[in-house]
Amino acid sequence: MVEYYKTIDGQVTAIPDFADGCWVNMVRPSSDEIEEIARFARVEEDFVRAALDPEESSRVDTEDDQLLMIIDVPMVERNSGEGGQQLFSTLPMGIVVAENAVITVCLEDTVILRSIAEGAVKGVHTALRTRFVFQILLRVAGRFLKNLRMIERDFTKVEKRLYDSLKNEELIQLLGLSKSLVYFSASLKGNEVTMEKVLRGRVLKLYEDDRDILEDALIEIRQAIEMAGIYSSILSGTMDAYASVVSNNLNIIMKVLTVLTIIMTIPNIVFGFYGMNIEGGVIPGDVFWWIPLIISVVACAGAWYLLKKRKLY
């Protein structure tokens, strides 16, 4: 899919074809679409194809008057579990700055670019290429912060159910959130390095107002890195506490079973010993059949009292 947008009368407006100063939004483009846009914008096809590799890392590359910036953007994979918890991941997005246009390339349609295309972001001018790129970076940083808050909200919901149910489902959900935080931490650090390289002004000409936007984006990225680290520590501590609770509950169950086994063994010993003294099929002292029963009851009560006194039960 290829979409063309241009700022007209202060509003981002969809246009039918490529034009100077436009923004080209490409989502999983075909080879023919890549070739066509590369010819219109006079950029290398490899620049446009770079972001189509899901394993591509965040980086900046320049060649002649072309600039390729690949950054990781947060994505919601799917809902998980009956509580509706979401699993998050990241996906590379390429931003190609050509002489006459800005091109964005991604494998999925992102909320970040869709909000810009729908006019939800004010002050966007596609002809001001540097500022437009930095506005995209600022939106990416803001989306990371929003998704981190969503992870924290989902974690709180799971934690409330965790210690009551102790089911595998809660553990799987926590593992999914932990995996999301790992993806976010790695992507955020890569984005930070890329933005710092751009901020030095060696790969893209910076203007004072544009520099402020990029610095704001870099501040939010660093804040997101710190939040991801804090949430990872909290989640790790919760997982350790969960393991301790499960282990403690297992120890309690084993202790109860051991005590019951000891107490139930005593009547077997008494009646077994009494049964060995049968001669000629006649139970000696059969009129006193209640004697071994009393002995068993007293012995069981004594064993229970002794275990209770020693705090073994």
Side-chain angles (χ1 to χ4, degrees):
M1 180 184 72
V2 179
E3 298 174 325
Y4 304 95
Y5 297 93
K6 189 173 183 179
T7 301
I8 302 175
D9 297 331
Q11 295 290 330
V12 177
T13 307
I15 58 177
D17 297 308
F18 185 91
D20 288 345
C22 73
W23 161 40
V24 183
N25 182 30
M26 308 179 71
V27 179
R28 201 180 288 273
S30 64
S31 297
D32 293 338
E33 291 172 337
I34 292 175
E35 183 179 352
E36 180 182 8
I37 295 300
R39 185 176 68 254
F40 287 158
R42 297 187 292 276
V43 297
E44 296 289 338
E45 290 187 24
D46 292 340
F47 273 26
V48 181
R49 296 181 188 274
L52 299 180
D53 181 5
E55 303 300 326
E56 189 72 36
S57 59
S58 181
R59 61 184 175 89
V60 177
D61 193 7
T62 58
E63 184 175 341
D64 298 332
D65 294 330
Q66 309 165 24
L67 179 140
L68 168 64
M69 184 186 306
I70 296 181
I71 58 174
D72 291 328
V73 296
M75 299 290 294
V76 179
E77 286 189 346
R78 60 184 176 85
N79 289 338
S80 173
E82 58 184 13
Q85 281 71 29
Q86 295 173 318
L87 297 181
F88 300 86
S89 64
T90 58
L91 201 64
M93 179 178 70
I95 303 175
V96 181
V97 182
E99 294 181 3
N100 55 352
V102 174
I103 305 170
T104 57
V105 188
C106 194
L107 288 171
E108 301 290 342
D109 192 13
T110 65
V111 178
I112 300 167
L113 297 181
R114 187 53 50 194
S115 62
I116 297 176
E118 293 175 352
V121 182
K122 303 300 181 183
V124 174
H125 296 278
T126 57
L128 302 177
R129 296 171 298 159
T130 301
R131 175 177 295 185
F132 180 52
V133 170
F134 292 168
Q135 286 174 326
I136 293 176
L137 296 180
L138 183 60
R139 296 291 296 180
V140 170
R143 176 56 57 174
F144 268 111
L145 288 173
K146 183 175 181 179
N147 285 2
L148 282 170
R149 295 189 186 99
M150 293 172 65
I151 290 177
E152 193 273 337
R153 182 198 62 193
D154 290 346
F155 167 70
T156 302
K157 291 181 180 179
V158 176
E159 188 180 22
K160 289 180 180 179
R161 304 196 311 266
L162 181 63
Y163 298 107
D164 294 331
S165 61
L166 295 178
K167 294 180 180 178
N168 290 335
E169 182 180 358
E170 280 73 20
L171 180 59
I172 293 173
Q173 290 174 355
L174 288 179
L175 290 175
L177 294 177
S178 178
K179 183 179 178 182
S180 300
L181 288 173
V182 170
Y183 287 149
F184 275 20
S185 296
S187 298
L188 285 167
K189 291 177 182 177
N191 288 353
E192 181 188 22
V193 173
T194 300
M195 290 184 186
E196 287 178 343
K197 186 179 295 185
V198 175
L199 186 62
R200 288 195 289 267
R202 298 178 182 177
V203 296
L204 193 64
K205 185 177 180 180
L206 298 181
Y207 301 94
E208 192 61 32
D209 293 342
D210 300 339
R211 180 183 292 271
D212 293 339
I213 297 175
L214 181 58
E215 288 177 348
D216 291 342
L218 194 54
I219 289 172
E220 291 197 3
I221 284 292
R222 289 169 177 165
Q223 182 182 355
I225 292 174
E226 184 177 356
M227 288 176 60
I230 293 173
Y231 292 160
S232 294
S233 299
I234 295 174
L235 187 57
S236 177
T238 302
M239 295 286 287
D240 293 341
Y242 179 90
S244 298
V245 169
V246 172
S247 177
N248 186 54
N249 289 345
L250 180 60
N251 290 337
I252 292 175
I253 293 173
M254 294 303 297
K255 185 186 294 184
V256 171
L257 292 176
T258 302
V259 170
L260 291 176
T261 301
I262 293 173
I263 294 176
M264 294 299 296
T265 302
I266 296 175
N268 290 332
I269 296 174
V270 174
F271 285 103
F273 181 77
Y274 190 81
M276 288 187 300
N277 296 281
I278 298 177
E279 296 181 0
V282 179
I283 300 177
D286 55 352
V287 294
F288 301 105
W289 58 268
W290 45 268
I291 293 179
L293 181 61
I294 293 177
I295 295 174
S296 300
V297 172
V298 172
C300 290
W304 178 85
Y305 176 77
L306 181 62
L307 293 172
K308 189 74 172 179
K309 185 177 181 180
R310 293 181 176 272
K311 298 182 179 180
L312 297 176
Y313 175 65

